[in-house]
Amino acid sequence: MYRIVSALFLAENIKKIEIEAPRIAKKRKAGQFVMIRVGESGERIPLTIAGSDPLKGTITIIVQGMGKSTKELNSKEAGDTISDMVGPLGVPSHIEKFGTAVSIGGGVGTAIAYPTAVALKEAGNYVITINGARSKELVILEKEMVAVSDEAYITTDDGSCGFHGFVTQKLQELIDSGRTIDYVLAIGPIPMMKAIAEVTRPYKIKTVVSLNPIMVDGTGMCGGCRVSVDNQIKFACVDGPEFDAHLVDFKNLSDRNKIYQTEEKQSIETYTHECKLNKQM
Amino acid sequence: MDAQHITTKERLAIPRQVMPAQPPEVRIHNFNEVHLGYTPELARQEALRCIQCKDPVCIKGCPVNIKIDQFIKMIAEGNFLGAAKKIKEDNVLPSICGRVCPQEDQCEKMCILTKKHESVAIGNLERFAGDYERETGNVELPAVKPSTGKKVAVIGSGPAGLSCANDLIQMGHAVTVFEALHELGGVLVYGIPEFRLPKEIVRAEIEGLKQLGVKFVTNAVAGRSITVDELLKEEMFDAVFIGVGAGLPWFMGIPGENLLGVYSANEFLTRINLMKSYRFPENDTPVFNCKGKNVAVFGGGNTALDAVRTAKRLGAEHAYIVYRRSEAEMPARLEELHHAQKEGIEFMLLMNPVEFIGNDEQWLTGVKCIRMELGEPDDSGRRRPVPLPDSEFTLPIDMAVISIGNGSNPLIKQTTPDIEVSKRDTIVVDINTMATSKENVYAGGDIVTGGATVILAMGAGRTAAAAIHEKLMGIDAD
């Protein structure tokens, strides 16, 4: 059992959860993830580590309630426990002094882009962050991103905060302004990462994305998380999760993530129904 | 008949006793064990068939040299608990090995009776003895020697790790087992299905180790959560045994392998066995719904048969084995092959897949195969399958399970570069001690041999335990 130390909603449906895990807290590096099983009948889900406190022995994850497991996790409060957590898994982000590095987070992807932005800054890069969300209420880690950035931008689809438009448009604007960009990290929904890859491709800017395929064990044993990179099979859990954006087959990733659509719908409907019943009682 | 006064002729007249089993038409609808086990009467009857050779060659066929003649004699005399103890002198997991060892290639192959009759059912008797001891509540904890003050870390709780831990704890060493998954047992739990090895047996064996004082840590991935160097230098373990199993599943490298509905056997079996997805939605992990669908499993080993029989039990309309050689070359246990045949598994032999075909939504709809014929023997000594020209055809399938073996997990290699590995990334050891190139680090099981058997892994765990003991206690092996 792993104890939750604190739990706080950052935006609607997006919760920051701090969990006791001294070994993971000591070892984890930017870009790595944990596998979590919320309860005894739960599935194993991968979640990227947003931060850690080695002295306190805790790690932080930021979770958007999408399916049953993430909603169940988001219902947890400080003092509650989860059944299992294992990590840190995956290859840490490749960090070096690139020069000017742009770290782009879309939606809850910002939670994953943040620790890597911190590492890029520590490595001496000039860090530009672009923090995208649908609207103002869904912008997360605004202060943290500003603190770690030499330049920080917020974009919203509806223009309710910051730049009115997509993160891709902001990136294009930066490129068009004629400045040199040496490295781009993009983490968010698949269509966003794919679009970013297309923005940087003509300029041959090194671009890295963090992929989120369905996983079971997370240690290389099952191959369920295989992705096509440069037409070769790679396992996101042991070869990734970060890959060269210009070589990733995003369509295949997006297709493969739909394999359990029917079952996911069934799970979430049952869960929501049970939650309502519990509330009524 | 009486074990004391029976002539060899009378022994030979007894037919090999068939172990009662669930009928195929019943068992394809459940996940309960196929075999129901010998009754004491059947076991004694079968044990009487053993002619008690002066030179029991069966023992030479056993990778851990169980005193087969002796334990069978005890069963014949009705001393079932004595038989279990006798086996446990050499094999700590009789209930497991009796079920999963390929006896027809080991002890039973050597049995002198096979010249004119069927061999003694050694595996069935081993299983009986182990089950009898456990089911009658007579498992006695072995004596543990006084503490040596030495600490050993065992990485992996599969057959290699469990047997290594068992021996070390009895020698008086403190043992901690680190397991990557949330449940203990390794391949015995995530890989081998319930209908072939009930998980209750694995849990009982692990419970026994806990009572002996073995500590278990789940959710600890070697190389990620903790490295070998950290175990030695920071956590002050005196030695480390690596028994992490094989790892990364191989794919075939043919077009369409990333279509929806194409699984590795590891993934399919893990979802079912470990995550219990056959209980979806009570359990959260989903799996492809095989009901009324056509499922093809590619490969001819035990894992392939486990996967295809699992698909059948989940309601597959057609459950195929597609294998590029013929039945004679299949590496699976003979008994499993027979069970599968009786369960209505369809064998598409001498066929090789060349391409998976999908629809617009990227769901698998079929597999293009080519027919093969057997040519000259290859490196493995088996006749090499050669494609027949112009023999391509398409088999309509909804789900594919690839079961052609595993590569090595790269995590140890990546994080402990001073452990020597082979070209195939398996760990290189001295086979007499299982010592790796790194001081005080030992390894055994599939991470050393590549995909092999439970009994070989257990044997390796025991060899390593003996060598670790000698090293830690400063005993000169010569």
Side-chain angles (χ1 to χ4, degrees):
Chain A
M1 296 293 241
Y2 296 75
R3 202 170 65 88
I4 293 172
V5 177
S6 68
L8 176 79
F9 275 106
L10 298 181
E12 192 190 343
N13 221 6
I14 298 177
K15 202 168 193 176
K16 181 177 173 183
I17 304 173
E18 189 185 3
I19 310 170
E20 225 170 48
R23 266 189 216 272
I24 306 175
K26 199 175 74 175
K27 289 206 69 115
R28 76 96 202 177
K29 293 199 171 87
Q32 290 188 296
F33 65 95
V34 287
M35 296 295 300
I36 283 182
R37 206 166 66 112
V38 181
E40 282 304 314
S41 59
E43 59 181 339
R44 294 168 64 98
I45 52 167
L47 289 162
T48 303
I49 304 166
S52 67
D53 186 336
L55 291 176
K56 209 170 154 195
T58 60
I59 65 158
T60 304
I61 49 172
I62 294 175
V63 188
Q64 183 169 27
M66 301 276 282
K68 182 195 168 180
S69 298
T70 45
K71 280 194 189 295
E72 209 177 353
L73 189 53
N74 274 5
S75 73
K76 300 282 179 188
E77 303 292 346
D80 290 346
T81 56
I82 54 172
S83 288
D84 296 284
M85 182 162 76
V86 58
L89 301 170
V91 180
S93 305
H94 174 76
I95 302 292
E96 61 175 88
K97 190 173 174 185
F98 297 103
T100 299
V102 183
S103 172
I104 304 168
V108 77
T110 301
I112 309 166
Y114 171 67
T116 306
V118 172
L120 286 168
K121 181 73 193 160
E122 282 168 358
N125 289 286
Y126 183 89
V127 173
I128 302 173
T129 56
I130 306 175
N131 187 352
R134 283 206 312 277
S135 65
K136 191 179 179 201
E137 300 75 44
L138 294 169
V139 175
I140 59 167
L141 301 181
E142 192 181 342
K143 279 184 200 147
E144 286 86 344
M145 280 302 206
V146 169
V148 74
S149 312
D150 295 288
E151 281 171 52
Y153 300 98
I154 288 172
T155 70
T156 48
D157 300 0
D158 63 2
S160 53
C161 181
F163 176 87
H164 185 170
F166 297 132
V167 288
T168 41
Q169 292 167 299
K170 187 73 218 175
L171 178 64
Q172 187 69 57
E173 203 180 88
L174 289 171
I175 294 170
D176 290 346
S177 72
R179 50 198 302 183
T180 311
I181 294 170
D182 304 290
Y183 179 83
V184 171
L185 168 80
I187 301 168
I190 295 171
M192 180 209 104
M193 294 194 286
K194 187 170 189 281
I196 293 285
E198 293 318 315
V199 170
T200 59
R201 195 189 301 274
Y203 308 97
K204 297 191 173 65
I205 301 169
K206 184 177 171 57
T207 305
V208 167
V209 286
S210 177
L211 304 185
N212 59 337
I214 297 168
M215 292 186 186
V216 185
D217 64 295
T219 66
M221 190 261 284
C222 89
C225 67
R226 63 190 186 277
V227 289
S228 178
V229 180
D230 202 13
N231 289 317
Q232 289 189 346
I233 287 183
K234 295 280 176 193
F235 291 0
C237 65
V238 289
D239 299 320
E242 293 184 3
F243 293 100
D244 183 336
H246 297 148
L247 301 177
V248 169
D249 182 344
F250 286 103
K251 172 156 190 325
N252 184 246
L253 173 64
S254 157
D255 288 336
R256 284 183 61 80
N257 275 359
K258 288 179 191 143
I259 183 164
Y260 300 114
Q261 240 171 5
T262 316
E263 288 84 357
E264 282 161 7
K265 197 162 164 260
Q266 189 186 347
S267 275
I268 193 73
E269 275 168 9
T270 316
Y271 178 72
T272 318
H273 183 67
E274 280 168 5
C275 287
K276 272 188 195 150
L277 284 179
N278 283 341
K279 268 184 195 161
Q280 283 169 8
M281 280 159 64
Chain B
M1 263 179 283
D2 182 332
Q4 309 293 326
H5 307 95
I6 176 169
T7 65
T8 300
K9 200 176 170 191
E10 283 169 332
R11 289 183 191 273
L12 293 176
I14 307 170
R16 181 169 160 131
Q17 301 298 298
V18 176
M19 188 179 275
Q22 287 193 71
E25 64 276 15
V26 174
R27 68 185 187 235
I28 58 167
H29 299 295
N30 67 54
F31 275 87
N32 300 336
E33 198 178 7
V34 169
H35 274 148
L36 305 170
Y38 277 153
T39 58
E41 294 71 34
L42 284 173
R44 289 189 65 175
Q45 196 68 9
E46 180 61 31
L48 284 172
R49 295 184 63 233
C50 173
I51 59 171
Q52 294 290 315
C53 301
K54 287 267 181 305
D55 175 24
V57 284
C58 50
I59 298 179
K60 296 192 182 105
C62 173
V64 298
N65 305 119
I66 294 173
K67 298 168 198 92
I68 295 168
D69 57 326
Q70 296 182 34
F71 95 75
I72 292 184
K73 185 158 184 274
M74 288 170 156
I75 292 180
E77 292 165 353
N79 180 7
F80 304 141
L81 294 176
K85 281 206 177 61
K86 184 54 72 181
I87 299 171
K88 284 187 167 178
E89 289 176 10
D90 303 293
N91 173 9
V92 293
L93 306 169
S95 286
I96 294 175
C97 292
R99 285 171 168 82
V100 303
C101 263
Q103 289 95 2
E104 72 273 12
D105 290 326
Q106 300 178 354
C107 52
E108 294 184 16
K109 185 183 185 180
M110 306 294 281
C111 177
I112 207 86
L113 262 57
T114 53
K115 290 192 176 156
K116 285 188 174 166
H117 306 79
E118 279 186 281
S119 73
V120 173
I122 302 170
N124 289 356
L125 290 171
E126 180 187 25
R127 165 195 165 138
F128 168 78
D131 286 0
Y132 184 88
E133 185 189 48
R134 189 185 64 258
E135 285 164 9
T136 55
N138 279 299
V139 177
E140 275 177 33
L141 289 183
V144 171
K145 296 231 167 73
S147 169
T148 60
K150 304 286 183 187
K151 276 173 66 178
V152 184
V154 170
I155 306 176
S157 67
L162 292 181
S163 63
C164 188
N166 178 72
D167 282 9
L168 288 167
I169 196 92
Q170 290 183 44
M171 292 165 181
H173 307 296
V175 182
T176 305
V177 179
F178 296 88
E179 166 56 47
L181 293 172
H182 58 267
E183 221 176 293
L184 298 168
V187 71
L188 304 172
V189 168
Y190 74 74
I192 304 176
E194 182 77 16
F195 59 80
R196 201 149 77 80
L197 177 65
K199 301 306 155 230
E200 176 206 334
I201 295 170
V202 182
R203 279 195 288 271
E205 299 292 355
I206 290 167
E207 193 47 44
L209 290 180
K210 283 183 183 166
Q211 286 177 21
L212 287 178
V214 176
K215 284 191 208 124
F216 287 93
V217 180
T218 51
N219 295 325
V221 178
R224 286 276 182 250
S225 312
I226 191 147
T227 64
V228 173
D229 283 315
E230 286 165 345
L231 289 170
L232 290 168
K233 289 175 194 148
E234 291 173 28
E235 308 223 357
M236 308 310 281
F237 283 96
D238 298 291
V240 175
F241 174 76
I242 302 170
V244 295
L248 276 63
W250 279 327
F251 288 89
M252 294 185 288
I254 62 174
E257 260 180 320
N258 285 351
L259 287 168
L260 282 69
V262 182
Y263 286 77
S264 75
N266 283 5
E267 180 182 2
F268 180 52
L269 290 171
T270 301
R271 283 181 180 271
I272 300 291
N273 299 332
L274 179 73
M275 306 310 296
K276 314 255 183 302
S277 46
Y278 57 90
R279 285 198 209 133
F280 182 86
E282 286 78 37
N283 281 58
D284 291 341
T285 308
V287 71
F288 183 86
N289 188 350
C290 298
K291 205 163 192 142
K293 299 288 172 60
N294 298 332
V295 178
V297 177
F298 300 85
N302 285 316
T303 311
L305 290 187
D306 286 346
V308 78
R309 295 170 69 197
T310 296
K312 188 79 189 173
R313 281 160 173 74
L314 292 170
E317 171 79 17
H318 290 283
Y320 304 105
I321 280 283
V322 180
Y323 183 51
R324 64 200 181 110
R325 303 179 196 246
S326 73
E327 192 180 305
E329 289 83 21
M330 287 181 81
R333 278 181 97 220
L334 201 58
E335 186 174 64
E336 310 309 333
L337 184 62
H338 291 160
H339 283 160
Q341 285 163 341
K342 284 189 187 142
E343 288 167 10
I345 303 303
E346 296 161 64
F347 287 81
M348 313 281 277
L349 302 173
L350 288 166
M351 288 177 200
N352 208 23
V354 289
E355 184 182 353
F356 290 112
I357 300 157
N359 63 17
D360 290 347
E361 280 88 47
Q362 300 301 302
W363 281 95
L364 178 71
T365 58
V367 58
K368 202 185 277 177
C369 294
I370 188 163
R371 293 182 202 278
M372 313 290 278
E373 63 179 354
L374 293 179
E376 295 298 309
D378 62 12
D379 295 344
S380 72
R382 298 179 299 180
R383 292 175 64 192
R384 184 193 300 277
V386 192
L388 279 171
D390 304 321
S391 66
E392 280 189 10
F393 70 100
T394 299
L395 181 68
I397 53 169
D398 308 288
M399 181 197 194
V401 180
I402 298 165
S403 181
I404 57 165
N406 297 295
S408 303
N409 196 308
L411 291 181
I412 299 274
K413 178 186 148 180
Q414 283 171 8
T415 55
T416 319
D418 48 341
I419 292 179
E420 191 191 338
V421 295
S422 72
K423 270 187 209 155
R424 296 186 304 148
D425 279 352
T426 53
I427 295 180
V428 177
V429 297
D430 169 351
I431 54 159
N432 296 311
T433 60
M434 309 312 281
T436 68
S437 60
K438 189 175 171 73
E439 176 102 43
N440 294 329
V441 178
Y442 298 74
D446 283 1
I447 188 66
V448 169
T449 54
T453 59
V454 169
I455 188 75
L456 276 176
M458 287 188 36
R462 303 202 74 198
T463 304
I468 291 169
H469 178 69
E470 282 174 0
K471 179 80 192 292
L472 297 186
M473 305 311 287
I475 303 166
D476 192 342
D478 303 320

